[in-house]
Amino acid sequence: MNNLIDDVFAEFADGDEDLRALHSALAEILPEASLTLYGENGAVVPPSQSRHPADILLQLQEHTRSGTGFNSLRLLGNRWIHGIRVADCRALLVLQTEGLDEDLGRNPRLARLYHNCVKLALLRCLHHEAIIENEQLNRRMLVVSSKHTKLLDDNHQQFLLIREKEKEYAKKLESEIASQTKQLREANASLEAASRLKSEFLANMSHELRTPMNAIIGFSGLLLETDLSAEQREFTETIGKAASSLLVLINDILDLAKIEAGKLELDPAPFQLRSLVKNVEAMFRSQALRKENKLFYQVDPALPASIIGDENRLRQILVNLVGNSLKFTSRGDITIKVDRVQEDEQQVKLRFAVNDTGIGIPPDRQKAIFEKFTQADGSTTRKYGGTGLGLAITSQLVNLMNGSIELESAANQGSTFSFVISLQKDIAPADSLLRSGAPGAGSAEAGDREKPGQPRMEDAPVQGDLKVLAVEDNIVNQRLITLLLKKAGCQADIAGDGLQALEMLKTHHYDFVLMDVQMPNMDGHAATRRIRELEASADRDDYATLAGRARPLYVVGLTAHARKEDERQCYDAGMDGFLTKPIIKDQLIALIEKIRSQKV
Ligand code: ADP
């Protein structure tokens, strides 16, 4: 800007002198021209105070340096008025002239001067506007920056507030989590307690339900062996069959309750796969014949002979599936098939399938039949019986073995139920089979079920008179056991609890003991443990049965608790065998034969 000012005033190289020259030049060239100085707010500065044009120009220069200004050129009447308003109207130089153009045209110096003045004023104005803009910008920036600072401050405050709130919230959350964790722990503990109670209840129910069933089945069996009229026989058989169905149902409900309580654990041990399938086939052979069905089984010959798994539960699955196939098929084929899907050094993956050519299951019912208490259609119960529990248990058991059951079926064409599971190969030395087989002899385990109406094999009673001490607190069962033992060629004495049993061992000789587990005063486990202690001590001579024996007294546990765990507890207490209630006559006879052959 200064360059421009210099440029404008370059005409007046010697400063004030030339400005004065300008004034006189103006007066000379434009005699008509009058110079008026306007002061602040457009008020006219009186001529007495009007200064030399040079002053005015200087003033103009000063004002335009710092203040606002504009220039205008307009025609008023027939006169050119050129005004330069400067610095907030504090100075307004007005040149009034007639025929200014001609004058300017005539006098190039004046024209240049005039134009330079106008140019200067314009530049001043622009400069001034720029300054103002700049100032405004600065002000705005100041405002923005103060707003910004305020915003930052506010933000910071907010941030602090939020942080504070966050801390509070975190604290609250922590305490809430802590209290909820506490509540959850408590709930968990009470759930665990409830679940413990539930499983105890299940165990007790199992005992309470099986004990009377034991009596009903046992006595109706014994009754059938007496002289009965045809009608009495029919009634007794009906009682026996109804009781057997009830037992199946009780077992199913208890199984399902156990599965749902997460209490059912698999009990893997080495077993012979082929024998298992063969046994299942044998179990249903006569039932198949009655409905003119053909029953087949196929076990992949490449499969290892012995594998490790829960044989009883696997049998339960197959029995359920084959039982259903037989129930819903007549004059057809039923096939049990076991194939090898995959095998490595440790494991073998097997596919079990039970196929029939029976009534089939319509597609819309196929999913539901795996739910408990569900049958394919409403008429099933009337026509075929059943409760709709079998497949629910079966599929849960398969799940427990890490498999899943599948169904392929078409109405009136038949059904195939199949599942794939992986089992460990039995790579232990061969004697493990003996070990696993040993205690099982003569034992009826949880998975051993008899379907209603299943024919019983008739065994010949064992002759001879083994002396048995039967320890049992329930009077009905005492009577039943006595009769069963008598039928099996044994002579039985009864003790009402463990303490009584020990007393009787003092004065009598017994070949073996049938020991109930759950009894008042002294239970079967405690009594057996005591017997083993006595055998190992000199006190045994006080006991007629224990004194001078070649081998330890054979003690067989007898309990309504049918779980593997119960069996294990019996062996842990020192028992030699294990029978579950209801006592199955064939198993009792097999046990007695075994004892006899070992000459205990
Ligand atoms: P149920 O005790 O009623 O047989 P399940 O759970 O074993 O209970 O079976 C449920 C239903 O599934 C049966 O009632 C029957 O309608 C149908 N079902 C099961 N297996 C077969 C089969 N092999 N053929 C035709 N229907 C079957």
Side-chain angles (χ1 to χ4, degrees), residues 324 327-328 356 360-361 369 374-376 380 386-388 390-391 415 417:
N324 276 348
K327 194 155 97 175
F328 298 106
D356 65 57
I361 301 158
I369 57 160
T374 308
Q375 300 185 320
T380 308
T387 55
L391 283 179
S415 315
F417 287 87

Side-chain angles (χ1 to χ4, degrees), residues 252 320-329 334 354-362 365-366 368-381 384-394 407 409 414-417 451:
D252 278 354
N320 273 339
L321 295 179
V322 176
N324 276 348
S325 280
L326 274 170
K327 194 155 97 175
F328 298 106
T329 309
I334 290 131
V354 176
N355 164 267
D356 65 57
T357 56
I359 63 167
I361 301 158
R365 300 295 300 152
Q366 291 187 5
I369 57 160
F370 292 104
E371 281 158 24
K372 55 189 173 191
F373 303 112
T374 308
Q375 300 185 320
D377 74 76
S379 65
T380 308
T381 313
Y384 300 97
T387 55
L389 284 178
L391 283 179
I393 294 171
T394 302
L407 165 63
S409 183
S415 315
T416 304
F417 287 87
K451 284 256 172 179

Side-chain angles (χ1 to χ4, degrees), residues 40 62-64 66-70 85-91 128:
E40 286 181 27
E62 277 159 20
H63 280 293
T64 50
S66 59
T68 55
F70 65 90
R85 204 186 77 171
V86 186
D88 302 327
C89 301
R90 271 188 288 161
H128 185 68

Side-chain angles (χ1 to χ4, degrees), residues 11-220:
E11 291 292 332
F12 312 99
D14 51 356
D16 283 356
E17 277 307 309
D18 273 353
L19 283 174
R20 268 191 294 279
L22 167 66
H23 186 247
S24 49
L26 278 173
E28 184 188 318
I29 298 164
L30 304 165
E32 299 273 309
S34 71
L35 287 171
T36 313
L37 181 66
Y38 291 84
E40 286 181 27
N41 304 320
V44 176
V45 178
S48 56
Q49 289 175 25
S50 80
R51 280 165 283 182
H52 194 277
D55 293 343
I56 293 165
L57 277 173
L58 280 174
Q59 200 179 359
L60 169 69
Q61 187 184 356
E62 277 159 20
H63 280 293
T64 50
R65 250 180 211 155
S66 59
T68 55
F70 65 90
N71 108 316
S72 68
L73 190 66
R74 56 200 163 103
L75 189 66
L76 187 66
N78 61 350
R79 289 175 164 219
W80 283 103
I81 296 173
H82 179 243
I84 302 168
R85 204 186 77 171
V86 186
D88 302 327
C89 301
R90 271 188 288 161
L92 183 63
L93 169 71
V94 178
L95 297 172
Q96 287 181 326
T97 181
E98 258 178 78
L100 179 63
D101 281 347
E102 293 126 56
D103 293 337
L104 292 177
R106 275 199 307 272
N107 188 338
R109 192 165 167 257
L110 179 67
R112 219 168 34 250
L113 180 68
Y114 174 77
H115 285 298
N116 279 342
C117 280
V118 170
K119 200 169 152 195
L120 172 70
L122 275 171
L123 284 171
R124 291 289 182 191
C125 286
L126 285 175
H127 171 64
H128 185 68
E129 272 166 21
I131 286 173
I132 293 202
E133 251 171 47
N134 201 23
E135 271 174 9
Q136 278 175 348
L137 215 67
N138 278 343
R139 262 202 301 279
R140 256 186 246 137
M141 267 175 67
L142 219 74
V143 170
V144 168
S145 111
S146 78
K147 270 190 187 160
H148 186 230
T149 315
K150 191 168 178 303
L151 220 65
L152 279 179
D153 274 359
D154 285 355
N155 271 355
H156 189 64
Q157 287 304 324
Q158 293 275 4
F159 170 74
L160 291 179
L161 215 74
I162 287 170
R163 209 165 59 180
E164 212 40 52
K165 283 243 155 76
E166 259 176 12
K167 270 188 204 159
E168 254 173 53
Y169 186 65
K171 243 191 213 161
K172 214 168 134 191
L173 214 65
E174 259 171 39
S175 82
E176 235 164 66
I177 287 172
S179 93
Q180 280 191 6
T181 311
K182 194 170 158 249
Q183 277 175 17
L184 274 177
R185 273 211 194 102
E186 283 166 7
N188 208 19
S190 66
L191 267 180
E192 267 170 22
S195 149
R196 223 178 10 256
L197 279 179
K198 190 172 174 183
S199 61
E200 276 165 23
F201 172 76
L202 280 176
N204 286 340
M205 277 294 280
S206 159
H207 182 262
E208 296 306 322
L209 292 170
R210 280 168 208 249
T211 304
M213 292 311 294
N214 186 23
I216 297 169
I217 294 172
F219 278 112
S220 60

Side-chain angles (χ1 to χ4, degrees), residues 168-470:
E168 254 173 53
Y169 186 65
K171 243 191 213 161
K172 214 168 134 191
L173 214 65
E174 259 171 39
S175 82
E176 235 164 66
I177 287 172
S179 93
Q180 280 191 6
T181 311
K182 194 170 158 249
Q183 277 175 17
L184 274 177
R185 273 211 194 102
E186 283 166 7
N188 208 19
S190 66
L191 267 180
E192 267 170 22
S195 149
R196 223 178 10 256
L197 279 179
K198 190 172 174 183
S199 61
E200 276 165 23
F201 172 76
L202 280 176
N204 286 340
M205 277 294 280
S206 159
H207 182 262
E208 296 306 322
L209 292 170
R210 280 168 208 249
T211 304
M213 292 311 294
N214 186 23
I216 297 169
I217 294 172
F219 278 112
S220 60
L222 286 173
L223 202 58
L224 281 174
E225 287 173 21
T226 62
D227 271 344
L228 296 176
S229 69
E231 195 182 37
Q232 285 169 333
R233 182 162 295 279
E234 191 197 325
F235 290 170
T236 314
E237 277 173 358
T238 310
I239 293 172
K241 280 182 190 165
S244 298
S245 316
L246 193 57
L247 190 63
V248 170
L249 180 62
I250 289 168
N251 282 333
D252 278 354
I253 290 175
L254 289 173
D255 270 354
L256 204 66
K258 257 192 281 179
I259 291 172
E260 286 178 353
K263 291 286 168 195
L264 197 132
E265 279 171 23
L266 295 175
D267 194 6
F271 72 97
Q272 306 287 305
L273 183 62
R274 181 165 276 272
S275 312
L276 166 69
V277 179
K278 201 170 152 190
N279 285 345
V280 173
E281 187 266 345
M283 204 169 154
F284 286 104
R285 203 177 297 149
S286 55
Q287 199 182 327
L289 276 175
R290 273 204 301 278
K291 288 185 80 181
E292 295 180 46
N293 282 322
K294 283 192 209 121
L295 183 55
F296 304 97
Y297 73 93
Q298 271 176 36
V299 179
D300 189 338
L303 278 169
S306 175
I307 45 179
I308 298 173
D310 191 329
E311 182 183 9
N312 290 321
R313 293 299 175 186
L314 209 48
R315 181 185 298 113
Q316 190 178 350
I317 294 170
L318 292 177
V319 164
N320 273 339
L321 295 179
V322 176
N324 276 348
S325 280
L326 274 170
K327 194 155 97 175
F328 298 106
T329 309
S330 46
R331 295 190 182 166
D333 293 346
I334 290 131
T335 312
I336 314 165
K337 239 179 126 193
V338 190
D339 288 314
R340 184 178 63 165
V341 178
Q342 212 178 308
E343 186 175 349
D344 62 26
E345 283 190 2
Q346 306 282 326
Q347 284 198 325
V348 58
K349 202 184 227 182
L350 302 162
R351 181 176 184 270
F352 290 81
V354 176
N355 164 267
D356 65 57
T357 56
I359 63 167
I361 301 158
D364 58 320
R365 300 295 300 152
Q366 291 187 5
K367 216 174 148 211
I369 57 160
F370 292 104
E371 281 158 24
K372 55 189 173 191
F373 303 112
T374 308
Q375 300 185 320
D377 74 76
S379 65
T380 308
T381 313
R382 261 173 281 132
K383 203 164 162 195
Y384 300 97
T387 55
L389 284 178
L391 283 179
I393 294 171
T394 302
S395 73
Q396 299 259 32
L397 286 176
V398 173
N399 286 349
L400 216 61
M401 295 179 184
N402 294 326
S404 71
I405 196 151
E406 282 179 15
L407 165 63
E408 255 180 72
S409 183
N412 302 320
Q413 288 185 33
S415 315
T416 304
F417 287 87
S418 63
F419 58 94
V420 176
I421 52 171
S422 288
L423 294 176
Q424 290 288 324
K425 282 158 69 169
D426 181 19
I427 38 181
D431 77 313
S432 67
L433 287 179
L434 295 177
R435 235 188 307 118
S436 75
S443 76
E445 290 149 326
D448 269 335
R449 303 282 168 70
E450 293 203 4
K451 284 256 172 179
Q454 191 186 318
R456 286 263 179 91
M457 297 245 293
E458 274 304 318
D459 287 80
V462 179
Q463 297 306 316
D465 52 349
L466 286 182
K467 267 206 88 183
V468 185
L469 175 62

